Amino acid sequence: MKVLVVGNGGREHALAWKLLQRERIRQVICIPGNGGTATTKGCQNLPLRVDDFEGIARFALVQNVSLVIVGPELPLSLGITDYLQHEGLTVFGPSKEGSQIEASKCWAKTLMQSAGIPTPGFEVFTNLSAAIAYLETAVAPIVVKADGLAAGKGVTVAATLEEAKTAVETLFHNGFSTVVIEECVTGQEVSILALTDGVSVRPLLPAQDHKRIGEGDTGENTGGMGAYAPAPLVTPALMERIEKEILKPTVNALRQRGIDYRGILYAGLMITPQGPTVLEFNCRFGDPETQAILPLLETPLEELLLACSQKRLEQLPEIAWKPGVAVCVVAAAQGYPGTYQKGQVITGIEQAEELGAKVFCAGTQLKQQQLVTNGGRVLNVTATGETFEEAIATAYAAMDCIQFEGMYYRKDIGHRVVSTTSSLD
Ligand code: GLY
């Protein structure tokens, strides 16, 4: 069968790599893909825009594509699933209406509030002066969120009210018409990516991301600088609670609103002393969490995604996982998440993979047969192991083989889990 993957990140390279481990997958086409998918055997890039729904549909129909997997939130929020389904294609990813769970913080918070799903307290503002007046009497730290897609730059955890005011001003100034101001909760963040066909819900392994650019979780927020799975913090009992209190009620609430949500429901949770609470929902696979989760997946990926798209997830046996753990370390371009250069030559991937790691490409492209940088997050070096110590050691040894000018990566990916495990010894 032929599968089409929409997107160009490390997540999409990981999806294509995982799919191609199955003999029944004859070809994966990535739109537009990256330097890694361009050089993966069985994979081909197609240079279409992710919002060229007509072009994508035409290609998929002519090529008899069996499944379209949509990676990023932007085409989902623009209605790619609705369009392709209308053309008769099988699509993994929620409809435009369902994607509001990520595309509108205000919509998602209101859904959670009315369905009794735990989430920090919040207020919604549609004008600057009301938001500033509210902040005059609020207590810091406090969280300011843009109500719309902001490529990972829409959330400020403000340590002071002055910082919160600046964040609100910046969002309105940048054209957002609505902002959400939210209570700041503390604890550890976890990412729960769950498969759903709109009725059944099957969580994947819990993962933890490292959102800040700097070691020790300092500096600016990024799309994610590294991840690991399974996150030991999420015990079976906690996962049961997350399913019961968050995932199932959310899918039910969506269905009650007439939304047939088929795809990934990604719950970004804070595990507080009182229990899990939802910081945000995403309507897609997380990046880089996916790169840490998929190497551990035993059940064929396409069977799971097809079952979601065809509304028969309930009929599948439990998801099977390989033993062990996985760690993914992101290499970024100098300057990211701010401005950065493109076009730097990347070397050492073969040597890195000889050490047992898998390198998923993100912001890369092939230029005159050379792999060069083409984005902020450039590569994801992923390693599995029996223990986190082993997986971390392999990932960093592999990272040492890779070079490009201005390459930056955090040296402490997995620090939380290693210090937790050692303190339990
Ligand atoms: N890793 C965060 C995200 O995918 O949104």
Side-chain angles (χ1 to χ4, degrees):
M1 73 193 250
K2 286 187 190 176
V3 180
L4 206 153
V5 175
V6 177
N8 65 352
R11 167 185 54 204
E12 286 77 22
H13 189 188
L15 287 163
W17 166 83
K18 190 71 188 176
L19 291 163
L20 283 163
Q21 287 174 4
R22 295 266 294 159
E23 252 177 43
R24 78 186 277 217
I25 309 287
R26 273 200 301 124
Q27 195 184 17
V28 174
I29 303 103
C30 289
I31 295 180
N34 60 37
T37 53
T39 48
T40 299
K41 193 164 171 278
C43 196
Q44 184 201 323
N45 285 352
L46 185 67
L48 289 179
R49 288 170 52 105
V50 298
D51 59 359
D52 179 2
F53 300 164
E54 202 185 321
I56 295 172
R58 202 177 318 121
F59 175 85
L61 290 167
V62 169
Q63 292 290 320
N64 213 6
V65 163
S66 306
L67 173 66
V68 181
I69 305 166
V70 186
E73 60 279 17
L74 181 69
L76 288 167
S77 69
L78 294 174
I80 189 169
T81 298
D82 314 61
Y83 188 96
L84 298 183
Q85 276 176 346
H86 186 255
E87 295 294 317
L89 290 156
T90 303
V91 187
F92 180 83
S95 62
K96 180 175 181 171
E97 218 187 346
S99 304
Q100 288 182 94
I101 204 152
E102 174 165 2
S104 168
K105 301 282 178 224
C106 174
W107 191 89
K109 293 289 282 189
T110 310
L111 177 99
M112 286 185 261
Q113 192 177 46
S114 60
I117 294 154
T119 190
F122 68 102
E123 297 288 338
V124 175
F125 297 94
T126 52
N127 72 72
L128 178 61
S129 50
I132 298 290
Y134 173 79
L135 285 173
E136 297 293 348
T137 58
V139 180
I142 197 157
V143 182
V144 176
K145 293 182 170 177
D147 183 53
L149 296 180
K153 296 193 176 129
V155 179
T156 302
V157 180
T160 64
L161 292 179
E162 276 319 301
E163 209 186 311
K165 284 179 196 168
T166 307
V168 166
E169 279 162 7
T170 307
L171 290 179
F172 280 114
H173 178 78
N174 288 346
F176 288 99
S177 59
T178 307
V179 301
V180 174
I181 300 181
E182 190 178 278
E183 174 199 356
C184 186
V185 289
T186 51
Q188 275 200 50
E189 279 188 53
V190 297
S191 304
I192 306 295
L193 280 56
L195 294 164
T196 179
D197 61 0
V199 181
S200 293
V201 188
R202 300 276 182 100
L204 302 178
L205 290 179
Q208 280 189 287
D209 189 5
H210 300 65
K211 293 235 168 73
R212 304 292 186 118
I213 188 72
E215 276 138 31
D217 296 327
T218 53
E220 280 185 78
N221 256 335
T222 68
M225 294 302 293
Y228 54 82
L233 176 70
V234 184
T235 59
L238 179 56
M239 186 59 110
E240 214 173 283
R241 191 168 167 193
I242 291 168
E243 275 192 73
K244 189 163 157 247
E245 293 179 14
I246 294 168
L247 300 175
K248 287 182 179 159
T250 304
V251 170
N252 290 342
L254 288 164
R255 203 175 51 252
Q256 278 155 15
R257 283 159 183 74
I259 296 172
D260 186 13
Y261 191 105
R262 304 184 210 177
I264 288 283
L265 179 66
Y266 163 162
L269 306 179
M270 185 69 87
I271 309 302
T272 72
Q274 291 73 41
T277 188
V278 181
L279 299 181
E280 63 177 12
F281 279 119
N282 293 321
C283 62
R284 50 164 176 91
F285 280 105
D287 187 334
E289 292 93 327
T290 302
Q291 294 88 306
I293 293 171
L294 290 185
L296 300 171
L297 180 66
E298 187 76 64
T299 303
L301 177 64
E302 85 284 359
E303 283 183 12
L304 292 169
L305 306 191
L306 279 168
C308 288
S309 307
Q310 296 165 348
K311 237 176 166 42
R312 49 179 181 76
L313 190 57
E314 180 70 17
Q315 294 164 23
L316 290 198
E318 224 176 280
I319 300 177
W321 297 99
K322 297 177 203 269
V325 305
V327 173
C328 167
V329 184
V330 173
Q334 191 172 26
Y336 174 80
T339 51
Y340 50 81
Q341 285 200 337
K342 295 181 180 178
Q344 313 295 344
V345 175
I346 303 165
T347 59
I349 290 186
E350 253 180 56
Q351 291 86 331
E353 295 196 332
E354 275 165 17
L355 297 182
K358 174 67 201 165
V359 180
F360 297 117
C361 289
T364 59
Q365 68 170 333
L366 266 194
K367 217 169 181 180
Q368 288 144 8
Q369 296 313 307
Q370 268 193 321
L371 189 68
V372 299
T373 66
N374 191 39
R377 290 190 294 168
V378 176
L379 299 167
N380 312 134
V381 178
T382 305
T384 54
E386 277 179 30
T387 62
F388 280 108
E389 283 83 352
E390 188 189 326
I392 290 168
T394 308
Y396 280 107
M399 189 65 101
D400 277 346
C401 301
I402 297 175
Q403 284 188 338
F404 59 85
E405 206 183 308
M407 172 170 146
Y408 167 79
Y409 59 91
R410 274 181 63 166
K411 313 285 185 304
D412 64 345
I413 300 304
H415 67 100
R416 280 184 297 250
V417 78
V418 172
S419 54
T420 317
T421 323
S422 359
S423 67
L424 293 175
D425 286 343

